[in-house]
Amino acid sequence: MPVRGYVSCVTDCPYDGPTPPAQVADAVARLFALGCYEVSLGDTIGRGTPEAVGRMLEVVLSVASPDTLAGHFHDTGGRALANVDVALEAGLRVLDTAVGGLGGCPFAPGAAGNVATEAVHAHLTARGYATGLDGEKVATAAEMARDMRGGGDGR
């Protein structure tokens, strides 16, 4: 059975501060050695800057190819889409998102939701990428998700 691996706090940790890129690369290499087919790199608390994401990816790409990695960005600091751009420039083509920006991180105080699928879809479409998603269906799902959690405005 295929297993997907995850590395959290790839740029910043809520307890230890900035995460050294070499530690992320080591964790990624270990997950592939254990048999993972893909590893998702999580800016779990949403503090990652494009510069930090770029530095981390530069080191991680020394142990893994971009087609085996995914980007997972939270939008706590409002930089998720900029971090998506850095991941795309590095060659990643898989992005973890959540309709309506749902989610968060139970072990990271103050971590807001995942980057919204509808925001990433609109961003990528505007940049000329084909996502394979139906924008209207994504928007409907996002509205439903926001309504279900009682925040029709997405918050």
Side-chain angles (χ1 to χ4, degrees):
M1 169 181 274
V3 175
R4 185 182 203 228
Y6 292 81
V7 179
S8 298
C9 301
V10 297
T11 61
D12 297 273
C13 172
Y15 306 105
D16 295 330
T19 304
Q23 286 184 350
V24 178
D26 182 58
V28 168
R30 289 173 184 243
L31 286 169
F32 282 119
L34 290 169
C36 290
Y37 73 92
E38 182 175 75
V39 174
S40 179
L41 303 169
D43 175 24
T44 312
I45 61 174
R47 289 192 195 150
T49 64
E51 297 78 20
V53 170
R55 284 190 300 275
M56 177 271 301
L57 286 172
E58 183 177 339
V59 177
V60 170
L61 289 170
S62 70
V63 300
S65 63
D67 62 329
T68 63
L69 299 170
H72 181 109
F73 302 103
H74 287 238
D75 208 22
T76 311
R79 294 180 294 266
L81 293 177
N83 291 334
V84 162
D85 287 340
V86 171
L88 290 170
E89 290 169 15
L92 278 67
R93 294 297 180 265
V94 175
L95 300 165
D96 299 341
T97 65
V99 293
L102 294 178
C105 185
F107 62 84
N114 296 293
V115 66
T117 304
E118 61 277 16
V120 173
H121 176 263
H123 184 71
L124 295 180
T125 301
R127 293 192 62 204
Y129 287 93
T131 66
L133 299 175
D134 180 324
E136 285 185 33
K137 288 181 181 176
V138 170
T140 299
E143 184 178 339
M144 183 177 80
R146 287 189 296 270
D147 287 345
M148 286 172 46
R149 73 172 181 213
D153 65 353
R155 294 188 194 349

